[in-house]
């Protein structure tokens, strides 16, 4: 048997991809599965963005570019950061990579090593702990409380800090809970990070998907001290419905971006050239379509939260952003269905897939057993049908 590295044996395959694969396999067999697993918008990439990619191909923009991206793209990102976040960055402070996931991986590679601790609030996005582990560092998971709307408190952050703490990973709005931090809440966390000189990795990929007038605030925009410690991760995947195009970016201190750029130059080089030109248009072009998308997401959120909360034994927090809900299903654990005991949230999600033909992702994968994640990036019709089915099978569960 080939001996694989310790590093690769330390990590797990993405659980969100696993349920999506299982649901797809059932669909292929002709089963009518309702999927709440997908972590991507159901809208098509806007036409003007697609056209920019086609035009770039037609005009021969098909070759290597500088590792971090063409200047036009860096400038479009710099303008975006100014316009949306009141932040000033120079070209040396921007790097584009193959999706936000790749941006985060580059960060982990240049910052983390054996002996380092990285604070991650749970529920967390599945890749954070594994990327830390891949780089021989230790993820320090801090369980947030549902009653605190799944947000880490300043006390919880302070308590998790040790002399080994290298960084804190913040994700607002969050995947999987949809929770989002206000400016005041960020300020309280920033004070601690600045005081202890701990880096902040701020994953802002859902920035534009917020509801009811919630005002998104970027950690780096609070003041210069925290800006100098923050690496922003953002990208086109969620906001422009461009998950397959692969563009994420980082904005941060020059020396960190330079190190990441050196690494990327030896690993992948630049991201796809037509994707870069599509993203120039995404950032510089009209943002009007977003209003419609966010309104559609908001309507679905209101509906799904109301329906879930109307089911006995389910408690669902109403999130401020992203396109996920994260209901507490723990009251069903330990109960039985046809003599089979539902011990864990994984059993519960398997039960929903088998009996209701509805795919949800178990909370355990996000470090939150007793919960599950539903993505409402799917049509109202699907949401209606899916929740009807969940309601129906849950009524058959024995005490
Ligand atoms: C989707 C997502 C990303 C980025 O995904 P890419 O497809 O690699 O751009 C990053 N962070 C979170 C929390 C996400 O949900």
């Amino acid at each position: 048997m080939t001996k694989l590295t310790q590093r690769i044996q330390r990590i797990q395959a993405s659980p969100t991809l696993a349920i999506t694969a299982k649901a797809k396999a059932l669909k292929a067999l002709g089963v009518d599965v309702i999927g709440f697993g997908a972590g991507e918008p159901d809208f098509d990439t806007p036409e003007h963005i697609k056209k920019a990619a086609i035009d770039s191909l037609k005009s021969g923009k098909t070759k290597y570019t500088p590792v971090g991206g063409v200047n036009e793209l860096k400038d479009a990102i710099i303008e975006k950061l100014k316009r949306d976040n009141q932040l000033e960055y120079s070209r040396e402070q921007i790097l584009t990579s193959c999706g936000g996931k790749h941006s985060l991986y580059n960060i982990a590679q240049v910052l983390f090593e054996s002996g380092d601790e990285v604070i991650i609030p749970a529920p967390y996005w599945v890749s954070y702990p594994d990327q830390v582990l891949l780089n021989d560092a230790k993820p320090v998971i801090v369980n947030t409380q549902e009653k605190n709307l799944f947000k880490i408190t300043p006390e919880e952050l302070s308590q998790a800090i040790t002399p080994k703490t290298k960084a804190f990973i913040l994700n607002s709005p969050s995947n999987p809970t949809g929770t989002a931090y206000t400016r005041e809440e960020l300020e309280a966390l920033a004070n601690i990070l600045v005081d202890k000189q701990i880096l902040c990795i701020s994953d802002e990929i859902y920035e534009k998907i917020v509801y009811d007038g919630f005002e998104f605030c970027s950690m780096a925009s609070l003041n210069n001290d925290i800006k100098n410690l923050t690496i922003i991760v953002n990208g086109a995947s969620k906001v422009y419905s461009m998950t397959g195009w692969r563009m994420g970016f980082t904005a941060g201190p020059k020396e960190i971006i330079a190190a990441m750029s050196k690494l990327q130059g030896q690993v992948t080089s630049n991201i796809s050239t037509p994707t870069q030109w599509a993203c120039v248009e995404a950032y510089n072009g009209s943002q009007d379509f977003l209003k419609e998308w966010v309104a559609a997401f908001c309507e679905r959120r209101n509906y799904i939260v109301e329906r879930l909360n109307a089911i006995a034994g389910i408690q669902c927090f109403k999130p401020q952003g992203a396109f996920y809900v994260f209901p507490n299903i723990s009251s069903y654990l330990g109960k039985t269905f046809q003599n089979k005991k539902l011990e864990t949230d994984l059993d519960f999600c398997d039960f929903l897939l088998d009996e209701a033909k509805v795919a949800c992702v178990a909370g355990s994968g996000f470090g939150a057993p007793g919960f599950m994640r539903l993505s409402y990036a799917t049509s109202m019709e699907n949401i209606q049908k899916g929740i009807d089915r969940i309601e129906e099978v849950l009524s058959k569960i024995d005490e």
Side-chain angles (χ1 to χ4, degrees):
M1 266 266 284
T2 310
K3 185 178 171 295
L4 300 173
T5 57
Q6 290 293 319
R7 167 180 336 115
I8 197 65
Q9 293 182 61
R10 239 178 268 148
I11 67 163
Q12 288 168 6
S14 162
T16 46
L17 299 181
I19 188 97
T20 317
K22 194 169 167 188
K24 265 194 188 142
L26 277 175
K27 263 188 194 158
L29 292 172
V31 181
D32 169 30
V33 178
I34 303 281
F36 289 124
E40 60 185 350
D42 53 321
F43 306 112
D44 196 4
T45 306
E47 276 310 315
H48 66 285
I49 298 177
K50 286 189 189 174
K51 182 173 178 296
I54 294 166
D55 290 348
S56 77
L57 289 172
K58 285 189 176 155
S59 65
K61 295 195 175 96
T62 57
K63 301 293 167 69
Y64 288 134
T65 73
V67 171
V70 294
N71 281 336
E72 286 85 345
L73 178 54
K74 286 194 175 184
D75 291 348
I77 291 168
I78 288 168
E79 271 308 305
K80 174 254 172 289
L81 289 163
K82 227 182 258 172
R83 182 173 70 226
D84 296 339
N85 313 110
Q86 298 75 51
L87 281 165
E88 297 275 345
Y89 285 99
S90 62
R91 286 178 186 165
E92 306 97 300
Q93 294 182 289
I94 307 289
L95 173 73
T96 61
S97 304
C98 310
K101 197 177 260 184
H102 184 211
S103 297
L104 287 157
Y105 181 76
N106 281 338
I107 293 172
Q109 274 265 301
V110 306
L111 291 181
F112 307 151
E113 61 192 355
S114 175
D116 292 334
E117 293 180 357
V118 180
I119 298 174
I120 303 173
Y124 47 70
W125 187 50
V126 293
S127 299
Y128 300 143
D130 282 341
Q131 291 195 352
V132 170
L133 286 169
L134 264 180
N135 290 287
D136 309 324
K138 183 179 161 198
V140 173
I141 308 298
V142 177
N143 292 312
T144 64
Q145 303 299 313
E146 193 179 9
K147 67 169 170 31
N148 296 333
L149 315 184
F150 299 109
K151 288 184 254 201
I152 190 170
T153 65
E155 296 71 37
E156 288 165 342
L157 176 61
S158 288
Q159 276 167 16
I161 292 173
T162 76
K164 292 179 172 174
T165 307
K166 181 82 187 246
F168 167 62
I169 304 183
L170 174 77
N171 177 211
S172 171
S174 145
N175 176 1
T177 63
T179 200
Y181 291 70
T182 64
R183 170 177 290 271
E184 292 69 33
E185 287 163 343
L186 292 178
E187 267 162 358
L189 300 177
N191 288 340
I192 297 165
L193 298 171
V194 169
D195 182 44
K196 301 276 167 113
Q197 288 294 294
I198 290 165
L199 293 166
C200 180
I201 296 160
S202 182
D203 183 341
E204 305 181 356
I205 201 106
Y206 294 100
E207 164 184 20
K208 300 280 180 181
I209 306 172
V210 288
Y211 311 115
D212 306 331
F214 181 88
E215 283 198 32
F216 172 82
C217 176
S218 171
M219 187 61 131
S221 70
L222 295 175
N223 59 60
N224 259 330
D225 292 332
I226 190 67
K227 186 186 176 204
N228 291 334
L229 289 170
T230 300
I231 307 136
I232 293 176
V233 177
N234 205 327
S237 294
K238 309 294 160 61
V239 176
Y240 299 110
S241 199
M242 293 178 75
T243 44
W245 296 72
R246 314 308 300 137
M247 197 292 285
F249 73 81
T250 36
K254 236 186 253 180
E255 50 303 357
I256 298 176
I257 298 294
M260 291 167 62
S261 194
K262 178 168 81 170
L263 169 70
Q264 188 168 307
Q266 295 288 22
V267 182
T268 60
S269 299
N270 62 277
I271 68 169
S272 150
T273 303
T275 289
Q276 293 188 47
W277 290 102
C279 289
V280 170
E281 176 61 22
Y283 286 113
N284 288 346
S286 166
Q287 313 287 309
D288 288 349
F289 62 91
L290 258 173
K291 272 195 214 86
E292 249 169 71
W293 289 7
V294 173
F297 279 142
C298 186
E299 193 190 345
R300 297 171 188 176
R301 177 203 62 159
N302 294 346
Y303 177 80
I304 200 168
V305 168
E306 200 181 313
R307 285 291 309 273
L308 285 167
N309 276 322
I311 299 175
I314 290 191
Q315 180 183 322
C316 184
F317 154 71
K318 190 173 191 179
Q320 302 96 325
F323 39 69
Y324 310 100
V325 283
F326 204 65
N328 186 333
I329 50 94
S330 58
S331 79
Y332 281 97
L333 304 186
K335 295 191 176 177
T336 54
F337 175 76
Q338 294 177 352
N339 296 325
K340 232 175 68 195
K341 203 163 180 182
L342 305 176
E343 303 270 11
T344 66
D345 53 324
L346 295 155
D347 296 342
F348 186 79
C349 288
D350 270 341
F351 157 77
L352 289 183
L353 187 54
D354 293 338
E355 301 302 324
K357 309 289 182 253
V358 171
C360 306
V361 189
S364 295
F366 308 98
F371 292 82
M372 65 178 182
R373 189 191 78 174
L374 287 80
S375 159
Y376 49 88
T378 183
S379 68
M380 262 311 234
E381 195 192 341
N382 275 342
I383 297 172
Q384 233 152 17
K385 212 154 97 179
I387 304 293
D388 284 349
R389 290 188 191 176
I390 293 177
E391 193 165 45
E392 152 111 41
V393 294
L394 289 183
S395 69
K396 295 181 192 155
I397 286 201
D398 309 318
E399 280 310 306

